Amino acid sequence: MLITVAYLYIYLMRWVRRRSDAMKRLQLINAIRKSLRCSSIQLQKTNRSCILSSGTNMSLAPGPTDWCSNLQTLVGNELVNVEVMLEKSNVRIYAIEPKLIVPLNGWTSYLLNQSPFDGEKSKDIVFVMLELMQYNHEVQRNQVTKLEELVNLVAWKSGRSFQAVAECTENGFCQLTRSFLDNCLVAQELLEVTSITSIDVRGQPDKMIPGASGSQTSLSHFQKLSGIQSSSDFNNSSQQLDQDCKEELSGMYSDSDCAGEAPAEPLEEIAPEMLTPVTRKENLHGKPPNVLVYCGKKDSSRLFENVRSIFAQCLNTDKYTVYHLKHDQVKTTPWLDNTTLLIISSDKVYDGVDEVFLKYFLEGGTVVSFGSSFDAKFVTRIQTNSKSSILTLSYENWSDATFICGRHVYETSLKSLLCDVTLTCLAQDKHRGNPVILEAVHETSGGVALLSQVNFDKDPSEMAISQDIFTILKLSNSIRFEILRSLFRRLGIDSDQPVLPSLTPIVLLSCSSKSKQQFFKSLSSRLKDGHLVSKDVTLQFITDDISLSAINVTSSVIPVITDAQRISILFDFAVYKANLKTKLIGNVMFYADVITTTMNLIESLMFSLPADVGLVAVATRQTAGVGRGGNAWLSPPGCAMFSLHLRVPQRSLLGERIPFLQHIVSLAVVLGVRQKPGYENLDLCIKWPNDIYYGASMKLGGNIVKSSIMNDIIHANIGCGVNVANKDPTICINDLIQMANETSRDDSKWLNLLSTEEVIALSLNCLEDLVEKFQSDGPDGFKRLYYRYWLHGNQRVRLNSEDGPEATVIGLDEFGFLLVRLSNGQMESVQPDGNSFDMMRNLIAPKSN
């Protein structure tokens, strides 16, 4: 007992300390925000700071760096008031009055080929002066925040240190402050920000470096001017944002800024000259975690099944889903903007698909090519064999491993056949010295391609022309996977393998003993020796006389523990029950910590359940979740994942318009959160036909509805998943809540983070209410409410392909299909089955399975 109390006390103290630190930081940010207009806010690393005195009127003393002498020049002999806002072991923050003014004469403009900077600003813009020094690789950092993602660089000046003037919003300056305090702010992975000062500016910078033509200037040019050397070793390292930093960055610039400010422009439009040949793009802007594999034109389905298992062992399957990009989908499916990584696993590409792949690369995409003719777009290849053979590879620390290789090697000069593309040799044939793995980087877009004549995608059995060769390849097989993971990490792809959790029993939970008794009564006729057998799964109901240590859980036979007191679970049913306000839905629950998919549980029972039992199946984690169109559904911890059974009379307002049901489910999740007091302004929206989005940029969840009819009753098996608390792979609801807390200036409006238990209960409340109102009032009232939260009003789209007919989205038709008006005025309904909405291209196209 005493030990338990001690642990509780330690946990409470830690929580209080974390809460206190968070509140202190919030108070500091609010103080900085209030002082920005009338004062200069200066952030300095203590080992580089000027000598300042707090609370006294004084001139700035000379300091050891150009930064300090610049400040003295700016202020001259004028007396200034310097106040210390924060003093830590490594950072100090000052408020300086009057505000410092920087004349931009003699500075050089970043804005190449854009209109001249006029030195004016709106009231939302803050100018900052930055000091940057060579990145210190000996300092351990758990995270890296890129400066260019927070500011628009305006002008630069070289000297003992590199200096820049940039503009940002007030929120952007606050994000700079947070990242600076966390010692994680760097520029293009090469320079470390050592000082930040908010300023006013006068005059105009010069238009670029004398003698520069229309070509874009890279950061390396400025490094030479400043005497700063780049570090290729750092480019090879993989920096990951840790959980705490990502929580703080959740309020950063996004495609739809929560404070109502204009969205930040893309980096390549703001400062193309700052792009370096090696750019590793993080998935911070909602790009779907799709890895597409192209396996050629012939027999591609069989080939894909062979390589998918290989890549699945080299990717974090909690973050990425591997799909087959079929040959006929390359030009017809809008995949280019929805893909994190494209893998080409075919020696030949046909019918011009290589041009599509090249377009993806030139627009910033990431490509890996194994022995493909696609390589010839980048570099001259030399044929050395008439067919596939084997070679001994020299790559990083590996020098004696043997692998299958293609028929070609790359010419040693590494002359790029594409403009603005640099080639780097990563690996060679150990015996001949020929390049066999290259990295191609597009200097402007940041597109990266790994070109490999080593067929890491082929199993040793595919080259088993003799027992000796097969044995040699098998001995190097583990190294093959190590190198493949290393190459993926080089591209910024997470290759850590998640630990596959073991399946757990189901626990039967209920809101009342009456509903539990009704549930058992409905199943009594189907139970045989405590087993309920269905097509996909058999449920084994465990009585009190059976020891839990004796039960075995498999994907086909799942024990159901009817006494919840016998086992501990990861789900807080008390929180769920306290938030559930339904009359029926969700009054009985099947819960499992880990299960294959909750949809199978509902399907096995739905024809046996009486009208007064509203069964819902919930899991903390699914190992084989299924989305719409047969797509895999990532189901890591932190997602609210549930399936439920809904009975709808066929001859009812909803029964005659059953496609509306998926729209009702999407709206129920959005309303469940946004109708909670204080949470109304969270930017949760609906994307047709069944997705839940943050604004128009990032997917948070979705639903799937399967229905069957028996005795004039439609039995709907509804599956729903929404990311509540897991920050991978894109964004979660709690990110939005933290963003709202960070940008709010009123501590009384602080919002608590939500739990999966709350979100499920609140969603079920709204679902039951929406279904009842639809059945009584029909679709018109529902559509008016639905349109408040959907993303497509009067949106201009194209149907079927980018060259398809133009149309304007009108809304939902009387049966729940998407209604569009063609350019000739004709109205057309688009069914959700088999179609998807590509938000980035305003394209309604056939959905790829």
Side-chain angles (χ1 to χ4, degrees), residues 26 56 203 631 717 788:
L26 184 61
T56 58
N631 287 337
N717 183 1
R788 291 187 196 174

Side-chain angles (χ1 to χ4, degrees), residues 47 154 166 286 291 430 445 530 612 664 703 766:
N47 60 339
V154 173
V291 175
K430 179 180 178 180
S445 69
D612 54 356
I664 291 175
N703 71 79
C766 290

Side-chain angles (χ1 to χ4, degrees), residues 465-502:
I465 57 179
S466 72
Q467 184 66 35
D468 290 340
I469 290 180
F470 177 75
T471 301
I472 290 172
L473 292 173
K474 268 298 185 181
L475 289 173
S476 298
N477 203 40
S478 61
I479 298 177
R480 175 170 70 107
F481 284 93
E482 291 176 19
I483 294 178
L484 194 51
R485 294 186 190 104
S486 173
L487 292 172
F488 284 148
R489 286 194 295 270
R490 184 178 181 88
L491 297 173
I493 301 296
D494 189 344
S495 61
D496 293 338
Q497 292 293 288
V499 178
L500 189 64
S502 300

